[in-house]
C-alpha cells in the first residue's frame, strides 16, 4: 500500500495519525505523474485532491473513507472502538470538523496578507469557525475527543487544532481554545502524546516550507 499526499494537508495528516496509531507501515509518496492534476493522478482521484490510498489492487479516496477502510482491513487496534453509539459519536465529531470548521479555516489560507485581504470573507469564515467550535464543545467527551482513547475523531481534531493554533492569531479575532474549554482540554491531552507530537512537528515543517513558497501577496 502507498498513501499519496503531504503531511501539510490536514486531510493527509488525519490518515497518517490513523496509520501510526494502528502501527501500520504504509509509505507516503508524492502524487503519481508529479502533481495532483496529472493525468496519472486524476485516474486515481478524479477530484485531484490529496490524499489517495493505493490499496494493492484498487484505490481509495477521501481521507475519512481511507481511515475507515484501513480500520476494516486492519481491525486489531481500532480507531473506532466501543459500541455502535460510541462509534457514531467519534464519526460525528470527525464529520462536524470536516463540515463546520475545516472549510472556514482552510479558506483563510489565501487571506494572510492584510493588504490584499478580503475582510468580509474573513469575517464570514470566522463566524463559521466559531459556530462549528461551539457545536463541538457540546459533542466532545474527553479526555480524548470521543472518550478514553484516540479515535477517528482525534485523527481529524489534531490537524484541525494545529491549523486553528497557526492561523487564527494572524486574524486576531477569536482564540479558539480560550473560548472552548473542552476543545482546549482535548487538545492538551493530544499534544502530550508522542505520536501526535511527532506528526505536529512534521506538519509544522511542511507548513513553514509551504508558506515560504507562497507568493508574498497571498
Ligand atoms: N474531502 C477531501 C478533501 C481533500 C482536500 O481538500 N485536499 C486538499 C489539500 S488540504 C487538496 O488536495 N487540494 C488541492 C486542490 O484542490 O487542488 C478529503 O477528506 O480527502
Amino acid at each position: 500500500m502507498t498513501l499519496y499526499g503531504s503531511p501539510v494537508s490536514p486531510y493527509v495528516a488525519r490518515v497518517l495519525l490513523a496509520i501510526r496509531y494502528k502501527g501500520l507501515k504504509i509509505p507516503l509518496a508524492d502524487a503519481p505523474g508529479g502533481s495532483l492534476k496529472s493525468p496519472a493522478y486524476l485516474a486515481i482521484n478524479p477530484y485531484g485532491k490529496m490524499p489517495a490510498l493505493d490499496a494493492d489492487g484498487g484505490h481509495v479516496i477521501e481521507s475519512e473513507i481511507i481511515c475507515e477502510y484501513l480500520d476494516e482491513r486492519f481491525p486489531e487496534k481500532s480507531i473506532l472502538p466501543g459500541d455502535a453509539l460510541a462509534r457514531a459519536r467519534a464519526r460525528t465529531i470527525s464529520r462536524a470538523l470536516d463540515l463546520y470548521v475545516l472549510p472556514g479555516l482552510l479558506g483563510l489560507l489565501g487571506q494572510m496578507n492584510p493588504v490584499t485581504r478580503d475582510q468580509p470573507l474573513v469575517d464570514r469564515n470566522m463566524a463559521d469557525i466559531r459556530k462549528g467550535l461551539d457545536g463541538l464543545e457540546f459533542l466532545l467527551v474527553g479526555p480524548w475527543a470521543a472518550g478514553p482513547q484516540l479515535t477517528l475523531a482525534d485523527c481529524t481534531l489534531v490537524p484541525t487544532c494545529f491549523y486553528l493554533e497557526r492561523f487564527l492569531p494572524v486574524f486576531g479575532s477569536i482564540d479558539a481554545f480560550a473560548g472552548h474549554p473542552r476543545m482546549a482540554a482535548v487538545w492538551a491531552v493530544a499534544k502530550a502524546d508522542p505520536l501526535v507530537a511527532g506528526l505536529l512537528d512534521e506538519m509544522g515543517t511542511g507548513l513553514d516550507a509551504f508558506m515560504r513558497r507562497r507568493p508574498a501577496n497571498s
Side-chain angles (χ1 to χ4, degrees):
M1 288 193 183
T2 303
L3 183 70
Y4 297 123
S6 152
V8 74
S9 157
Y11 303 104
V12 176
R14 161 201 278 175
V15 180
L16 286 175
L17 188 51
I19 287 173
R20 291 173 191 181
Y21 177 75
K22 294 175 72 60
L24 303 175
K25 298 274 172 272
I26 299 177
L28 187 64
D30 289 336
S35 96
L36 296 173
K37 310 300 175 203
S38 72
Y41 190 70
L42 290 173
I44 294 171
N45 183 343
Y47 301 107
K49 290 181 186 291
M50 58 175 144
L53 180 75
D54 181 336
D56 299 334
H59 293 102
V60 185
I61 63 169
E62 287 295 318
S63 55
E64 192 162 272
I65 309 302
I66 297 171
C67 288
E68 295 238 13
Y69 171 81
L70 291 172
D71 214 43
E72 274 186 34
R73 275 288 306 273
F74 308 102
E76 292 75 29
K77 196 171 175 195
S78 181
I79 53 165
L80 284 166
D83 60 15
L85 206 52
R87 294 198 296 279
R89 170 65 60 128
R91 288 185 172 110
T92 304
I93 293 168
S94 182
R95 184 67 55 91
L97 288 161
D98 252 356
L99 292 178
Y100 306 128
V101 180
L102 274 171
L105 192 53
L106 296 181
L108 296 175
L109 186 58
Q111 305 298 327
M112 293 292 168
N113 186 334
V115 178
T116 54
R117 183 171 296 162
D118 177 346
Q119 193 59 45
L121 181 146
V122 169
D123 293 343
R124 276 197 307 278
N125 285 20
M126 286 295 196
D128 288 348
I129 293 167
R130 191 194 306 270
K131 249 202 291 191
L133 293 177
D134 289 349
L136 275 154
E137 207 52 19
F138 177 80
L139 294 171
L140 292 171
V141 178
W144 289 88
Q149 68 186 71
L150 184 150
T151 67
L152 174 68
D154 300 284
C155 294
T156 311
L157 184 119
V158 162
T160 307
C161 286
F162 168 87
Y163 274 99
L164 286 169
E165 207 164 68
R166 290 286 290 251
F167 280 7
L168 294 192
V170 176
F171 300 95
S173 52
I174 53 174
D175 177 341
F177 300 108
H180 299 94
R182 280 192 180 194
M183 184 85 162
V186 172
W187 180 222
V189 166
K191 273 202 291 194
D193 182 274
L195 212 58
V196 171
L199 180 70
L200 292 171
D201 276 351
E202 276 172 67
M203 291 184 75
T205 306
L207 183 60
D208 291 342
F210 179 79
M211 296 308 274
R212 279 195 298 274
R213 287 197 306 269
R214 281 178 70 78
N217 64 348
S218 63

